[in-house]
Amino acid sequence: MSSAGQIIRQRRSLLACDGRTAILAERFYRMLSRTMPVPGDAIPWAPAIHFGLFVHRVEGIEPGLYAMAARTSPATARSRSA
């Protein structure tokens, strides 16, 4: 039987992680903005899920644990540096 660590390291999404490559803060915020509701969304209720994000290797953002409340824009997420 495989361990959880072995299975996680075999995932194709993880294989692209080289331990050095970073993304720009602008791209990171653009990805987060896709999680925010927009006028005309098919879901008629306000978001109720809060994100806990471990941020690492994002140029222009201090590494650490970030929390984004359901009704907060990505640019105003609070952080707690690791």
Side-chain angles (χ1 to χ4, degrees), residues 5 10 31 56 73:
Q10 292 172 2
M31 289 188 301
H56 187 60
S73 72

Side-chain angles (χ1 to χ4, degrees), residues 10-72:
Q10 292 172 2
R11 288 192 46 85
R12 287 184 294 154
S13 60
L14 184 63
L15 294 178
C17 297
D18 63 7
R20 295 182 308 271
T21 304
I23 65 171
L24 297 174
E26 177 185 353
R27 183 173 184 187
F28 178 72
Y29 288 133
R30 195 170 45 242
M31 289 188 301
L32 279 182
S33 71
R34 307 258 332 209
T35 68
M36 303 302 290
V38 294
D41 269 349
I43 301 173
W45 56 84
I49 297 173
H50 306 299
F51 283 107
L53 303 161
F54 293 99
V55 176
H56 187 60
R57 291 192 196 103
V58 177
E59 292 181 15
I61 300 177
E62 179 99 17
L65 174 62
Y66 288 75
M68 188 170 79
R71 294 184 179 101
T72 303

